[in-house]
Amino acid sequence: MMKAIQLSTFGGPEVLKLVDIPVPEPGPGQVRVCVKAAGVNPVDTYWRSGANPTLSLPLTPGLDGAGLVESLGPSVTEFAVGDLVYFGGWLTGAYAEKAVLRVSQLHALPAGVTFQQGAALHVPYATAHRALFHRAGARAGDVILIHGASGGVGLAATQFASAAGMTVIGTAGTERGRQLVEAQGARYVLDHTEPHYLNRIPELTGGRGVDVVLEMLANVNLAKDLPLLSRGGRVIVIGSRGKIEITPRDVMMREADIRGLSLFNVADDDLRSIHAAIASGLHCGVLKPIIRDELPLSEAARAHTKVLEPGAVGKILLIP
Ligand code: NAP
């Protein structure tokens, strides 16, 4: 048996229970990992509350983790028992002492990267890379507004974009968050709780506007983002928690694009390329996952409350 967080009904954070359940056995093409750290992402809270109708109960959440390979399913040759790995994706859930994953969801933990950092890689960094390089087609010299730069995805995007020669304008809601965003490479940092903070964008871009907006809260910001774009600019909708009214003319006049992103849609081939970029960035030191809190597995409910509160400064982890 093993300890795991399980929900047997959808609802608030209180439905996350620490229970004893059987250790999962890896099937063909699968691997069991002894989980040393699990990443907490906002999407885990959406799943918990029942927003994903494809899920059935009982369920152990968690899409991000890192640990040691401890058992191989039939026909697995890519990994060996004892390998240090991080993983991204869901099969049995990362909020547990042990998790079973498909081989395609596992990646070697690069030398010098801790289990805690490994558990902060897949969802934030793969999303940030996908947004900048696949969906936005951003390149050196572009100006990128990262609207919500202090959280997991925003900090990853700040690091990726700065290292690739882009000018980052990042936003955060607290002084601590703004200092962190600046330290990760943003050229300018704005406070998204101030009433007129976006009025500075024309001055910061010499009147040209921004080439790309990475938007973490589109239901609040999308209408304000569109007039900030340069001609041919792109808004990448990464996060949204409701509806919003926009002025289509703002897109028309600039021949601008609003593009969605869902990490769940990324093909295995693209994921391999993304994780190669992550490994390279970690190796040469331009990517550095920022850990904000490490909580025991028993405090999963507190982690779910915290991850949705204002004041992000990096990743929250659960330690089994
Ligand atoms: P996170 O770590 O909780 O960070 C949330 C970010 O949103 C923080 O930087 C926060 O800033 C910022 N924020 C709060 N109010 C804002 C406002 N009015 N305007 C702009 N930003 C604001 O979450 P995350 O992991 O970075 O994820 C960000 C969003 O993307 C979430 O909604 C998540 O569900 C979504 N996401 C989507 C995908 C996908 O595949 N589409 C993948 C990953 C994440 P302060 O706390 O400093 O105020």
Side-chain angles (χ1 to χ4, degrees):
M1 301 292 277
M2 66 168 189
K3 299 269 181 223
I5 293 293
Q6 201 178 60
L7 48 137
S8 46
T9 176
F10 295 114
E14 69 287 350
V15 303
L16 297 168
K17 305 285 188 209
L18 186 65
V19 295
D20 289 301
I21 57 172
V23 172
E25 287 305 324
Q30 298 176 353
V31 168
R32 188 171 69 230
V33 174
C34 175
V35 180
K36 298 295 186 187
V40 175
N41 291 293
V43 66
D44 304 345
T45 71
Y46 315 152
W47 282 27
R48 186 210 68 225
S49 61
N52 183 337
T54 65
L55 296 173
S56 51
L57 296 170
L59 162 74
T60 294
L63 298 161
D64 273 344
L68 287 151
V69 171
E70 67 168 29
S71 174
L72 306 175
S75 76
V76 173
T77 54
E78 296 88 339
F79 292 93
V81 171
D83 282 355
L84 275 55
V85 292
Y86 73 95
F87 57 86
W90 189 82
L91 204 57
T92 63
Y95 292 11
E97 288 177 324
K98 295 162 196 301
V100 167
L101 284 310
R102 281 188 287 277
V103 163
S104 62
Q105 297 169 320
L106 281 187
H107 311 277
L109 194 67
V113 176
T114 64
F115 291 128
Q116 285 89 338
Q117 291 172 320
L121 286 178
H122 174 72
V123 172
Y125 281 85
T127 302
H129 188 282
R130 176 79 171 170
L132 279 169
F133 300 105
H134 295 192
R135 300 298 292 134
R139 55 187 190 164
D142 283 353
V143 180
I144 318 290
L145 170 62
I146 303 180
H147 219 159
S150 47
V153 177
L155 289 168
T158 301
Q159 294 173 359
F160 263 128
S162 305
M166 300 165 198
T167 300
V168 172
I169 304 172
T171 80
T174 63
E175 183 55 32
R176 200 173 149 215
R178 288 189 290 280
Q179 284 176 7
L180 183 60
V181 171
E182 187 171 15
Q184 298 315 305
R187 184 85 58 86
Y188 308 105
V189 186
L190 304 176
D191 177 354
H192 55 229
T193 67
E194 270 189 11
H196 304 296
Y197 68 106
L198 293 173
N199 288 355
R200 289 200 57 212
I201 298 286
E203 159 212 335
L204 298 179
T205 60
R208 235 186 103 252
V210 300
D211 300 291
V212 172
V213 180
L214 301 189
E215 184 48 74
M216 306 303 156
L217 201 54
N219 56 302
V220 171
N221 295 323
L222 186 59
K224 293 182 283 181
D225 289 338
L226 300 178
L228 305 175
L229 291 171
S230 62
R231 188 167 301 179
R234 290 84 71 200
V235 178
I236 311 302
V237 176
I238 299 173
S240 188
R241 295 180 180 158
K243 292 181 180 174
I244 186 167
E245 187 176 302
I246 63 163
T247 302
R249 200 175 173 80
D250 289 334
V251 185
M252 185 181 89
M253 298 307 288
R254 295 169 177 78
E255 296 198 317
D257 290 304
I258 302 169
R259 301 179 186 169
L261 180 157
S262 171
L263 192 56
F264 294 108
N265 287 340
V266 183
D268 281 353
D269 196 37
D270 280 344
L271 271 182
R272 269 192 292 280
S273 163
I274 288 170
H275 282 279
I278 293 172
S280 168
L282 290 164
H283 176 71
C284 63
V286 296
L287 301 183
K288 292 186 207 91
I290 311 266
I291 311 303
R292 159 192 178 180
D293 281 313
E294 295 181 34
L295 301 174
L297 203 51
S298 57
E299 294 197 29
R302 190 154 79 91
H304 272 215
T305 302
K306 280 186 99 166
V307 77
L308 293 185
E309 285 172 353
V313 276
K315 292 296 304 175
I316 300 173
L317 303 181
L318 291 173
I319 308 297

